[in-house]
Amino acid sequence: MTTRLTDSPENPAETAANLTKLNANIEKIETLTQRLIQALAQKRAPNPAVEAPGHGLFAHAVTAYWKEALENPGKLIEQQAALWGKTLKHYLDAQQALASGKFTAPEDTTPTDRRFSNPLWKTHPYFNFVKQQYFRNVAAMEQALQNIDDLEPHERKRVEHFARQILDMMAPTNFLGTNPDALEKAVETEGESLVKGLENLVRDIEGNRGDLLVRLADPEAFRLGDNIGATEGGVVYRNRLIELIQYAPTTEKVHATPIVIFPPWINKFYILDLKPANSLIKWIVDQGYTLFVVSWKNPDPGYADVGLDQYVEEGFITAVNEVKAITGEEKVNAVGYCIAGTTLTMAQAVLNKRGDKSVNSSTFFTTLTDFSDPGEVSVFLDDDFIDGIEAQVTKDGYLDKYFMARTFSFLRSNDLVYAPAIRNYMMGEAPPAFDLLYWNGDGTNLPARMAVEYLRWICQDNQLADGKIRICGETIGLDDIKVPVFAVACETDHIAPWKGAFNGFRNYGSRDKTFVVSQSGHIAGIVNPPGKDKYGHYTNDAEMGEADDWFASATFHKGSWWPRWESWLNARSGKKVAARALGNKAHPVLAPAPGTYVTEIPEI
């Protein structure tokens, strides 16, 4: 039976037994607290520049706010009086409800929010008072930000983003004393949920060397090569940056032109091979293609001086050449996902400058090449953050995966930070066995030089879109992409917004361009197999002018974009030949898929 906060006390014998259990749990908490202190002692020296935006941002906002207040004090007084008046009325309403002898909350007109789904937020006077006051404070803060006139659009966007982070952090659901779900669970379990929660917290801090990164999925639920990343294949080439995996054929005949996929090296390649039902890798093989996928090295400080030149030459161009050598074909069809799509663009432009025709066609998943409008990520691309990252990687020799994971998580903080933290730490529950979240927590480090070059040259200076970036001795731009190209962007992508992807893609030099917008976000819009029809996609054969105009006249198609892409690829993949064995004499199988790089943990 579930014990609720409004239930009557148990009988004396039960109460005594429960008190004994509670005291035992309190002793466990004391022991765990000592472990927590020891774990926190391992925390790296703080770098304020990568923890929050520079002081100048909020200083300017506060200055602009008080400037407005001095010039128009009536507006400030009116706003504060409205907040105080609503607060006082709410307090009086609550007092009157209690004075009437009824344990009920006053009228509640706050917005629907899944964080506040427990019925007690509406029915219990205490929790209802806390919730209503929180939403009043949020509204007051939002109004105050709207009233600041002297802010540039980008500066306003940054202030609003980080103010929202503060407001989300201060939600009453994030604190034990004001979270009815957590309090009920603690009462029901005589404090055991808090003990388990503290165990989860200590484990996560110990696992991140003193830093806190909330674990999103059960780490024991998945085994690479067994129930995740298990499509049959083998590593047929390896250098210091990549393992090249070739996948075993499942058809008697295959298209002559092979495919090589370059996944992002911020995370692991098996996002495209989570399980057979949603594995793009398996699906491509089943359509009759010879498929190669790059698995990237997880770098340590010894890779500090590896930059974009090395990723292009030793990663992309080398992989293309090795695929040609293994298959005996003169050309390959290349695919790049996210940052790997951006870098595939650079690699292909370099090949074009060299007169190398090795790439027959290119496909880009959620790829930004024009950073004039990078979307939500733009709040992290100013000098206050980038200077901090540069200082951090100069000291460490690499950008720890912790920083990237935290940055992307806080773009969706309620879903990827606070809700999991409440579940793990306050409710004492184990993280779920969810393959996508498991992958999301399995990040990689970035070499120091590459991280800074990408952030400075590509994101801040937009040198690739401007045709001014120099890679591998060549000055290149988007116009250097001449082969047929296919791009998939995602409608609600918060990492690579579809309009930004559109703006870069339309400036490619190819005459054969196909652009698709998939429903959903950065991952779900790509890992969207046929058959389920969960997400559809948009196409438009019209000239790629303005993004909004293109989308307004686009045609919606129910279901996955995968078959549409395969049809496009089919026409550019040559005749059918006998299915190929893995590797050849010069390229023996070095290890079964998923390889060794994907599971390596660098020694730091």
Side-chain angles (χ1 to χ4, degrees):
M1 182 180 71
T2 300
T3 303
R4 301 194 65 83
L5 296 176
T6 52
D7 287 348
S8 300
E10 300 168 338
N11 64 51
E14 289 177 320
T15 301
N18 289 336
L19 183 59
T20 299
K21 185 177 181 180
L22 179 61
N23 288 332
N25 283 328
I26 290 174
E27 289 182 9
K28 291 180 183 179
I29 289 176
E30 291 176 353
T31 301
L32 285 167
T33 300
Q34 293 303 313
R35 277 181 59 194
L36 178 61
I37 293 172
Q38 293 173 2
L40 290 172
Q42 304 302 313
K43 181 177 173 62
R44 74 194 85 200
N47 179 356
V50 297
E51 303 290 339
H55 298 303
L57 176 68
F58 286 118
H60 190 183
V62 171
T63 300
Y65 177 81
W66 284 111
K67 178 176 179 290
E68 177 71 17
L70 291 172
E71 293 177 354
N72 188 1
K75 182 191 292 187
L76 175 63
I77 294 172
E78 180 182 356
Q79 178 187 336
Q80 291 298 314
L83 173 62
W84 294 344
K86 291 176 182 177
T87 299
L88 182 58
K89 183 179 184 302
H90 181 214
Y91 176 75
L92 291 174
D93 288 344
Q95 291 295 314
Q96 289 173 359
L98 290 173
S100 67
K102 297 179 180 179
F103 196 71
T104 58
E107 182 184 5
D108 184 354
T109 59
T110 54
T112 300
D113 189 315
R114 60 183 176 180
R115 292 175 294 177
F116 300 90
S117 58
N118 190 306
L120 290 176
W121 287 113
K122 283 188 174 294
T123 61
H124 194 289
Y126 167 69
F127 292 112
N128 182 262
F129 180 85
V130 169
K131 180 187 75 165
Q132 290 207 46
Q133 192 56 44
Y134 169 71
F135 279 110
R136 284 185 173 81
N137 292 337
V138 169
M141 176 66 79
E142 290 174 344
Q143 184 63 47
L145 292 174
Q146 291 175 12
N147 288 342
I148 302 176
D149 294 329
D150 192 20
L151 286 178
E152 295 296 324
H154 175 65
E155 196 171 42
R156 177 179 294 279
K157 182 177 182 179
R158 297 192 82 211
V159 170
E160 289 176 348
H161 172 85
F162 292 111
R164 169 53 60 184
Q165 293 297 323
I166 295 171
L167 292 171
D168 287 344
M169 180 179 66
M170 297 306 295
T173 47
N174 296 336
F175 301 91
L176 177 63
T178 50
N179 186 315
D181 292 303
L183 289 171
E184 285 183 334
K185 188 74 174 288
V187 171
E188 176 188 345
T189 62
E190 285 78 36
E192 187 174 356
S193 60
L194 299 180
V195 174
K196 290 181 178 179
L198 188 54
E199 288 176 341
N200 292 339
L201 175 64
V202 171
R203 178 206 60 208
D204 287 353
I205 292 177
E206 288 175 338
N208 285 287
R209 295 181 295 143
D211 288 309
L212 176 59
L213 193 63
V214 184
R215 194 184 299 270
L216 299 178
D218 180 0
E220 306 301 324
F222 301 100
R223 294 172 302 280
L224 275 169
D226 183 2
N227 61 351
I228 193 171
T231 300
E232 183 183 356
V235 175
V236 291
Y237 174 80
R238 180 188 293 131
N239 66 20
R240 65 169 180 161
L241 281 183
I242 67 169
E243 284 187 333
L244 184 64
I245 301 171
Q246 181 182 355
Y247 286 90
T250 58
T251 57
E252 292 185 1
K253 297 281 188 177
V254 295
H255 289 277
T257 306
I259 300 171
V260 55
I261 295 179
F262 297 94
W265 54 88
I266 294 173
N267 286 95
K268 307 292 180 66
F269 78 89
Y270 64 88
I271 184 59
L272 300 176
D273 191 30
L274 292 176
K275 54 190 174 187
N278 62 359
S279 170
L280 179 60
I281 286 174
K282 185 179 186 308
W283 186 85
I284 291 172
V285 172
D286 288 346
Q287 308 314 302
Y289 293 90
T290 302
L291 177 63
F292 296 81
V293 175
V294 165
S295 175
W296 298 97
K297 179 74 171 181
N298 192 354
D300 58 27
Y303 284 71
D305 202 38
V306 172
L308 286 174
D309 279 0
Q310 287 71 38
Y311 270 83
V312 167
E313 196 72 66
E314 299 177 36
F316 288 79
I317 294 177
T318 293
V320 168
N321 289 333
E322 295 301 326
V323 169
K324 288 167 54 182
I326 292 168
T327 61
E329 297 294 325
E330 295 183 357
K331 294 190 176 187
V332 307
N333 290 320
V335 181
Y337 192 168
C338 191
I339 186 176
T342 310
T343 315
L344 173 60
T345 301
M346 293 188 283
Q348 198 172 310
V350 169
L351 291 175
N352 178 64
K353 290 284 189 177
R354 295 175 178 175
D356 189 323
K357 308 295 185 181
S358 295
V359 177
N360 182 59
S361 76
S362 286
T363 299
F364 303 92
F365 299 159
T366 64
T367 295
L368 285 181
T369 52
D370 182 347
F371 280 77
S372 57
D373 183 15
E376 293 181 52
V377 177
S378 67
V379 300
F380 297 104
L381 296 180
D382 283 59
D383 278 338
D384 49 5
F385 272 110
I386 306 302
D387 288 350
I389 289 174
E390 186 166 10
Q392 189 73 44
V393 301
T394 298
K395 178 172 68 72
D396 296 340
Y398 68 101
L399 181 62
D400 194 296
K401 64 180 183 179
Y402 164 79
F403 295 108
M404 294 297 293
R406 186 185 59 185
T407 296
F408 288 124
S409 291
F410 272 97
L411 291 175
R412 291 291 181 270
S413 58
N414 284 325
D415 293 331
L416 296 178
V417 179
Y418 300 124
I422 291 168
R423 179 195 64 220
N424 295 2
Y425 308 147
M426 295 202 320
M427 304 292 289
E429 298 175 4
F434 187 5
D435 54 2
L436 177 58
L437 291 179
Y438 176 86
W439 167 86
N440 189 72
D442 190 17
T444 62
N445 303 325
L446 303 180
R449 179 180 163 195
M450 189 287 301
V452 173
E453 288 177 351
Y454 190 84
L455 291 169
R456 295 291 192 198
W457 298 353
I458 309 294
C459 300
Q460 280 195 315
D461 298 342
N462 210 18
Q463 291 181 22
L464 178 58
D466 292 342
K468 297 177 180 178
I469 193 168
R470 191 160 181 81
I471 297 293
C472 298
E474 306 287 350
T475 301
I476 56 172
L478 303 180
D479 189 61
D480 292 312
I481 308 304
K482 306 295 186 183
V483 303
V485 287
F486 189 107
V488 184
C490 296
E491 189 176 8
T492 59
D493 194 333
H494 62 285
I495 296 173
W498 79 264
K499 290 183 184 180
F502 181 98
N503 290 338
F505 188 74
R506 69 181 176 184
N507 289 319
Y508 282 9
S510 173
R511 295 181 180 180
D512 181 354
K513 292 196 281 270
T514 300
F515 190 79
V516 173
V517 174
S518 174
Q519 290 183 311
S520 195
H522 194 72
I523 301 301
I526 299 299
V527 184
N528 180 27
K532 294 183 178 180
D533 292 339
K534 188 174 183 180
Y535 303 118
H537 61 282
Y538 299 86
T539 63
N540 193 336
D541 295 330
E543 190 74 21
M544 294 184 72
E546 295 299 318
D548 287 331
D549 295 337
W550 181 93
F551 193 80
S553 61
T555 301
F556 176 75
H557 307 272
K558 185 179 180 181
S560 172
W561 55 267
W562 291 11
R564 183 176 302 279
W565 175 56
E566 194 279 326
S567 178
W568 180 90
L569 203 61
N570 190 312
R572 294 162 177 81
S573 297
K575 63 182 182 179
K576 289 291 187 76
V577 299
R580 300 176 172 105
L582 300 185
N584 57 26
K585 283 188 177 181
H587 296 79
V589 174
L590 305 176
T596 60
Y597 281 2
V598 73
T599 57
E600 282 185 349
I601 300 175
E603 293 186 11
I604 304 300

